[in-house]
Amino acid sequence: MIRRFSFFNLTSVTLGFAFLYLPIVLLVIYSFNESRLVTVWGGWSTKWYGELFRNEALMDAAWVTLRVALLSATVATILGTLAAIALVRFGRFRGRTLFSGMIYAPLVMPDVITGLSLLLLFVAMGFARGFWTILLAHITFSTCFVAIVVQSRLVTFDRTLEEAALDLGCPPLKTFFLITLPIILPGVVAGWMLAFTLSLDDLVIASFVTGPGATTLPMRIYSQVRLGVTPEINAVCTILIGIVTVGVIAASIITKRQEVERRRAERMAMATP
């Protein structure tokens, strides 16, 4: 039975998407505005992108944010993948409830509480706040998201493929890297992209654990917006939107190709007598 959109449903969906994406479209358009007044259109121009790259404060903040996002997403992906394997493969082990609770806690914990607790921890341990404390904080709240994504992939994993490799004499570690990891790689890549995006977006937690010389781009943008939106902010936000969009599209293409290759390999294996 084919369900058709009613006028009410179509209108609701249109208004919903407009509410979500129209402000982003306007931000991108006004990043090419000739006028310094962000609310007055003065013609098309790319001069604010040139001004952005000459703004040392914004560029330094962008470099800090990019380094933190890349490193935290990579470490969180490794830890989250290991945590997902432990939850799915190790069954009912002692301390599982506590372990899973610690993994999932950042999902429901308010950012203010997470940031404040990490701040108190770093102060108690005598850590100098700066780049490394931001990195540790981002790893802490990103790992749980990666664990959930990879865990959902492992739940549907066909373990007979691993058992066949082990029966043929392949060591467990080699089996993981040659069989398990390529199959769950789309989930791992999706987890990395999610952790990377969350790190780029974080403002609250980073504002608690930051220190001198380690201002992230969201913090810089927020501090400048309080004094008024400038065309450079529109330009840097447009670049961030472009980076995230390209990353999501690239991850989707890679994941789709790997899924097609996996299904093709399975069909070939089933066809082989």
Side-chain angles (χ1 to χ4, degrees):
M1 180 178 179
I2 300 177
R3 296 183 178 180
R4 298 182 180 276
F5 274 108
S6 65
F7 176 77
F8 175 77
N9 291 337
L10 184 61
T11 304
S12 300
V13 171
T14 302
L15 292 177
F17 278 109
F19 179 78
L20 290 173
Y21 294 107
L22 186 59
I24 298 177
V25 173
L26 291 177
L27 184 147
V28 173
I29 293 175
Y30 274 97
S31 69
F32 297 97
N33 187 11
E34 173 72 24
S35 174
R36 174 167 287 275
L37 300 175
V38 293
T39 58
V40 177
W41 182 256
W44 294 95
S45 176
T46 59
K47 70 176 185 179
W48 300 117
Y49 287 88
E51 293 292 332
L52 168 64
F53 288 107
R54 287 190 289 270
N55 190 324
E56 294 184 1
L58 281 176
M59 294 306 298
D60 290 342
W63 176 234
V64 170
T65 301
L66 186 60
R67 285 188 296 160
V68 169
L70 289 173
L71 291 174
S72 64
T74 302
V75 176
T77 300
I78 296 173
L79 296 178
T81 301
L82 294 176
I85 293 173
L87 291 172
V88 175
R89 298 293 177 83
F90 291 177
R92 301 295 302 180
F93 57 88
R94 180 176 297 180
R96 175 187 172 88
T97 302
L98 177 61
F99 179 73
S100 60
M102 294 174 63
I103 293 295
Y104 299 142
L107 286 172
V108 296
M109 194 72 67
D111 289 345
V112 174
I113 296 179
T114 302
L116 181 59
S117 60
L118 288 172
L119 171 62
L120 296 176
L121 174 65
F122 294 144
V123 171
M125 297 182 65
F127 280 4
R129 285 174 291 165
F131 176 83
W132 295 108
T133 53
I134 297 176
L135 178 62
L136 291 174
H138 283 199
I139 293 172
T140 300
F141 76 80
S142 298
T143 300
C144 61
F145 292 94
V146 179
I148 289 177
V149 174
V150 178
Q151 184 179 0
S152 64
R153 186 72 175 180
L154 283 170
V155 168
T156 59
F157 181 82
D158 186 5
R159 298 198 64 179
T160 58
L161 300 174
E162 291 180 335
E163 294 172 357
L166 293 172
D167 290 340
L168 293 174
C170 186
L173 185 62
K174 189 175 182 180
T175 299
F176 174 77
F177 284 105
L178 294 182
I179 304 298
T180 308
L181 186 59
I183 295 177
I184 68 172
L185 189 60
V188 175
V189 173
W192 188 93
M193 284 298 304
L194 181 59
F196 180 78
T197 305
L198 290 172
S199 179
L200 287 179
D201 181 63
D202 177 63
L203 170 65
V204 178
I205 296 177
S207 63
F208 277 95
V209 299
T210 189
T215 302
T216 62
L217 189 58
M219 294 171 58
R220 177 67 62 181
I221 292 174
Y222 179 73
S223 63
Q224 292 192 8
V225 166
R226 295 176 65 182
L227 302 176
V229 179
T230 62
E232 290 92 339
I233 294 178
N234 288 341
V236 71
C237 290
T238 301
I239 293 176
L240 283 177
I241 293 171
I243 292 174
V244 173
T245 302
V246 171
V248 170
I249 293 175
S252 300
I253 294 174
I254 294 173
T255 301
K256 186 175 181 179
R257 288 182 177 178
Q258 290 176 343
E259 190 70 19
V260 171
E261 292 177 359
R262 184 182 67 83
R263 291 179 179 177
R264 184 183 304 166
E266 290 179 352
R267 286 196 299 267
M268 293 177 62
M270 294 176 62
T272 303

